Amino acid sequence: MDESTELLAVRVAELYYEENKTQDEVGALLGITRWKVGRLLTRAREVGIVRIEIIHPRARRLDVERQLRERFGLKDAVVVPLPADDEEVSPRVAQAAADYLAAVRPVPRSLGVSWGRTLDEVARLLAPGWTVGVQVVQINGGVSLNSKQGTAAQTAVTIAQKGHGQATLLPIPAILEQVETKRAIERDRAVASVRALGASASAYLYSAGVAGASSVHVDSGYLTEADVDELVAKGAVGDVVGRYIDSAGEIVDTALDERTVGIGLDELRAAEHAIFVVAGDAKHDVARAVVTSGLCSVIVTDEATAHALLEETT
Amino acid sequence: MDESTELLAVRVAELYYEENKTQDEVGALLGITRWKVGRLLTRAREVGIVRIEIIHPRARRLDVERQLRERFGLKDAVVVPLPADDEEVSPRVAQAAADYLAAVRPVPRSLGVSWGRTLDEVARLLAPGWTVGVQVVQINGGVSLNSKQGTAAQTAVTIAQKGHGQATLLPIPAILEQVETKRAIERDRAVASVRALGASASAYLYSAGVAGASSVHVDSGYLTEADVDELVAKGAVGDVVGRYIDSAGEIVDTALDERTVGIGLDELRAAEHAIFVVAGDAKHDVARAVVTSGLCSVIVTDEATAHALLEETT
DNA sequence: GCACAATCTGCTCATCTGAGCAAGCACCCC
DNA sequence: GGGGTGCTTGCTCAGATGAGCAGATTGTGC
């Protein structure tokens, strides 16, 4: 578009968008036909002279969502625009996840949830009465070795309460020290029934952790920093429902995995609704692993993460 | 607009503006009628959920312009949006003034110009061939006591050259030391004819200076800092074509004014096209004086100045 | 509980707008 | 100069849209 056309386009855009004149009037005013006015407006929008923005905390990036769906064969994707303030990213994503959950159709009768800071936020932001009579099941062992004890349970309970339903907890350690102990525990009737309930949930909601010193597993004492370093050395990018995966979405350390209580990755992969919530730049790698390996059917994330996933040169 | 309506509006806006669906389609998708969709869009625009911006260096603020015209009874007003960079303000305003000048109809046969940094910029940015055969006349005495000598002439000459016309200069001091000298000079045939030419110009283009130590008059030696301080004490807010005025647009110091060479303020007030160019926060006060006292019929300025003028609680 | 006002809703209709098309035009290569 | 080739222009026409209206709904004060 050359200089003078551009100037004309600006003039046209002003009269049309700011003065609310019709294309006809603008044309008459500037001595051009209304078709030319229409075309100039189209170009002005394309070129970026005219920018139309939707400014709202709950706004989404539908174009990016479509790309994600197509690229990774997802059932759905929710992408929230990046707020000006970094601090705002995770609340926005959590809010979006809460909104999404409340809008899932058919309404999930039972919901399998993992736990963590992200999910906790989702639970907090969920609208009271988001559904009626939901059965919430914890799908992986909860933290119980340290002070934050109870957060895992809290998340599930909050989601259940707000959905006028009830929560079924899995109040056992996330990772056990001996494979035998784990097997023994899983044979326990109570535990087994919770596992069964979890396995048959009509939807799953979970997040992912980054493999690093700040991992909840280190924080809560299940793993040492050295353990995590080793996992990273073996290619771990993060954990999903307590299980560490590499960039291909494969279990990194089968021995460790054998000691981990909770739903298996294959069960997630087979699920109808596996809603994955991730926010923040640190989680780009895990997010990519999850998405490319088909661990989720729905992703809820922020724009930066979405772009990181799409920029892949695959 | 309550929470849920707002959310709906966002959803509607996204589908309509980002996904380019028709209002009908959006309605079908969200289970509402197309009229409701239309109304939600209107509201979303009003409330600011949807913002339509025109991003271009030559863009203008037509709504503000209208307010200025109505409020001060101006024939016309040009307001440019504030660029992100403060440095950019005066070039933008100058560009707008140049554009405006080139577009004035009927085309001015003779143009009276003052001088200064602003006008110099306008001259530089004026498009070559902006008109044909214009007669440019300097309307107030030029700087001639210091190194910047010649800028005043330069401005007029540039404007004339680019308009394929010729410039008539007023190569005498802006302010003389004795009233008698001033009177004598004005009686000079050559000078008188220039003054007459200036008085009969079909349009005027000028700016204003701020009364302060940084004034061109101090800079060029016509006045001392003490002189200016005294003027300020008497209520001066700035100068227009070399004449210091107070906030009411009245001459502050008649004795000084008597020694000032050039067009009189009343001649400006009576002019058909008196185009006043001002940019920058420092000039809000002078701008207000000029505009409220009817010294100009057209103002070209930046958004901040325009708002300052309008915010007046009059 | 009732009447009134204010708002909201779905509608008709006139107007506005974009898709698609054929003619017009500039540019380019021979 | 001739004959493409690709872009621009003005047009038709169908579909999209907003103004204005009457009935429905909600809220409010008595």
Side-chain angles (χ1 to χ4, degrees):
Chain A
M1 182 145 66
D2 68 352
E3 174 83 9
S4 64
T5 315
E6 192 170 310
L7 233 54
L8 190 60
V10 171
R11 197 100 196 85
V12 163
E14 288 172 337
L15 292 168
Y16 185 75
Y17 286 113
E18 296 190 342
E19 299 287 280
N20 292 316
K21 300 195 180 302
T22 71
Q23 297 188 1
D24 232 353
E25 289 174 311
V26 175
L29 224 48
L30 302 179
I32 52 183
T33 63
R34 72 184 184 77
W35 297 285
K36 189 156 183 179
V37 171
R39 282 190 259 256
L40 281 170
L41 285 171
T42 308
R43 284 231 269 170
R45 259 171 279 140
E46 284 168 358
V47 173
I49 291 178
V50 170
R51 185 186 297 167
I52 301 182
E53 274 181 295
I54 296 171
I55 301 163
H56 195 281
R58 307 272 257 258
R60 292 165 49 180
R61 299 301 317 271
L62 306 182
D63 50 333
V64 185
E65 295 178 359
R66 187 176 343 93
Q67 289 177 58
L68 282 177
R69 281 197 303 272
E70 287 168 7
R71 176 73 160 277
F72 302 107
L74 300 175
K75 279 188 61 172
D76 215 339
V78 175
V79 177
V80 305
L82 277 183
D85 181 2
D86 280 357
E87 295 285 302
E88 270 293 298
V89 175
S90 87
R92 292 275 172 96
V93 171
Q95 178 66 261
D99 289 351
Y100 186 85
L101 187 59
V104 172
R105 291 295 117 91
V107 176
R109 287 189 55 258
S110 58
L111 177 70
V113 300
S114 80
W115 48 267
R117 268 211 301 179
T118 309
L119 279 217
D120 208 48
E121 222 162 353
V122 174
R124 265 196 312 108
L125 292 168
L126 202 55
W130 66 275
T131 185
V132 182
V134 71
Q135 165 84 294
V136 179
V137 195
Q138 225 174 293
I139 53 177
N140 58 332
V143 179
S144 65
L145 306 182
N146 76 343
S147 60
K148 284 191 198 144
Q149 181 185 37
T151 350
Q154 187 58 53
T155 303
V157 170
T158 304
I159 295 177
Q161 278 181 347
K162 289 190 172 173
H164 302 312
Q166 64 178 71
T168 305
L169 306 178
L170 191 62
I172 52 174
I175 301 173
L176 295 169
E177 300 199 331
Q178 304 295 329
V179 193
E180 290 73 31
T181 326
K182 187 245 185 180
R183 299 222 170 105
I185 280 187
E186 284 194 328
R187 271 193 299 272
D188 178 277
R189 282 265 298 285
V191 173
S193 74
V194 175
R195 282 282 287 105
L197 212 55
S200 68
S202 46
Y204 296 95
L205 181 68
Y206 62 99
S207 184
V210 177
S214 64
S215 156
V216 254
H217 290 125
V218 174
D219 214 34
S220 52
Y222 290 121
L223 298 175
T224 63
E225 284 200 33
D227 291 335
V228 175
D229 287 348
E230 200 186 324
L231 285 168
V232 171
K234 285 183 183 168
V237 291
D239 77 285
V240 172
V241 289
R243 303 178 188 278
Y244 280 84
I245 57 173
D246 59 22
S247 62
E250 300 291 334
I251 294 298
V252 169
D253 180 333
T254 44
L256 170 67
D257 201 64
E258 280 288 296
R259 295 189 281 118
T260 307
V261 178
I263 197 172
L265 298 187
D266 291 337
E267 291 173 90
L268 271 186
R269 289 203 174 90
E272 185 74 5
H273 295 283
I275 306 168
F276 174 53
V277 191
V278 241
D281 296 348
K283 298 193 172 174
H284 290 184
D285 288 337
V286 217
R288 184 173 298 118
V290 170
V291 154
T292 54
S293 70
L295 269 166
C296 68
S297 66
V298 177
I299 184 174
V300 180
T301 191
D302 60 273
E303 204 175 348
T305 306
H307 278 130
L309 294 177
L310 291 167
E311 267 165 22
E312 192 82 344
T313 50
T314 311
Chain B
M1 182 145 63
D2 68 352
E3 174 84 9
S4 65
T5 315
E6 192 169 312
L7 233 54
L8 190 60
V10 172
R11 198 101 195 82
V12 164
E14 289 173 337
L15 292 168
Y16 186 74
Y17 286 113
E18 295 189 343
E19 299 287 279
N20 292 317
K21 299 195 180 302
T22 71
Q23 297 187 2
D24 232 354
E25 289 174 310
V26 174
L29 224 48
L30 301 180
I32 53 183
T33 63
R34 73 183 184 76
W35 297 283
K36 189 157 182 176
V37 171
R39 282 189 259 257
L40 281 170
L41 286 171
T42 309
R43 285 231 271 170
R45 259 172 276 138
E46 284 167 358
V47 175
I49 290 177
V50 170
R51 185 187 298 168
I52 301 182
E53 273 181 296
I54 296 170
I55 300 164
H56 195 280
R58 307 274 256 256
R60 292 165 50 179
R61 298 301 317 270
L62 305 182
D63 52 332
V64 185
E65 296 179 359
R66 189 180 338 96
Q67 289 178 59
L68 282 177
R69 282 198 302 272
E70 286 167 8
R71 176 72 159 278
F72 302 106
L74 301 174
K75 280 188 57 173
D76 215 339
V78 175
V79 177
V80 305
L82 276 183
D85 181 3
D86 279 357
E87 295 286 302
E88 270 293 298
V89 176
S90 87
R92 292 275 173 97
V93 171
Q95 179 65 261
D99 288 351
Y100 186 85
L101 188 59
V104 172
R105 292 294 116 90
V107 175
R109 286 191 54 258
S110 58
L111 178 70
V113 300
S114 78
W115 48 265
R117 268 211 300 179
T118 309
L119 280 216
D120 208 50
E121 221 163 353
V122 175
R124 265 197 311 109
L125 293 168
L126 202 56
W130 66 275
T131 186
V132 182
V134 71
Q135 165 83 294
V136 179
V137 195
Q138 225 174 294
I139 55 176
N140 59 331
V143 180
S144 64
L145 307 181
N146 76 342
S147 59
K148 284 192 200 141
Q149 181 186 37
T151 351
Q154 187 58 51
T155 303
V157 170
T158 305
I159 295 177
Q161 278 181 346
K162 290 191 172 172
H164 302 312
Q166 64 178 70
T168 307
L169 305 178
L170 192 61
I172 52 174
I175 300 173
L176 295 168
E177 299 199 332
Q178 305 295 329
V179 192
E180 291 73 30
T181 327
K182 186 246 186 178
R183 299 221 171 105
I185 281 187
E186 284 194 328
R187 271 194 299 273
D188 179 275
R189 282 266 299 283
V191 173
S193 74
V194 175
R195 281 281 287 105
L197 213 53
S200 68
S202 46
Y204 297 95
L205 182 68
Y206 62 99
S207 185
V210 177
S214 64
S215 155
V216 254
H217 290 125
V218 174
D219 213 35
S220 52
Y222 290 121
L223 299 174
T224 63
E225 283 200 32
D227 291 335
V228 174
D229 286 347
E230 200 185 325
L231 285 167
V232 171
K234 285 182 182 171
V237 291
D239 76 285
V240 172
V241 290
R243 301 176 189 280
Y244 280 84
I245 57 173
D246 59 21
S247 62
E250 299 291 333
I251 293 299
V252 169
D253 180 334
T254 43
L256 169 68
D257 200 62
E258 280 289 294
R259 296 189 280 116
T260 307
V261 179
I263 197 172
L265 298 187
D266 292 337
E267 290 174 273
L268 271 185
R269 290 203 174 92
E272 185 73 7
H273 294 282
I275 306 167
F276 174 53
V277 191
V278 240
D281 296 348
K283 298 193 173 176
H284 290 183
D285 288 336
V286 218
R288 184 174 298 119
V290 169
V291 154
T292 54
S293 70
L295 269 166
C296 68
S297 67
V298 176
I299 185 175
V300 180
T301 191
D302 60 273
E303 204 175 349
T305 306
H307 278 130
L309 294 176
L310 291 166
E311 267 165 22
E312 192 81 345
T313 50
T314 311

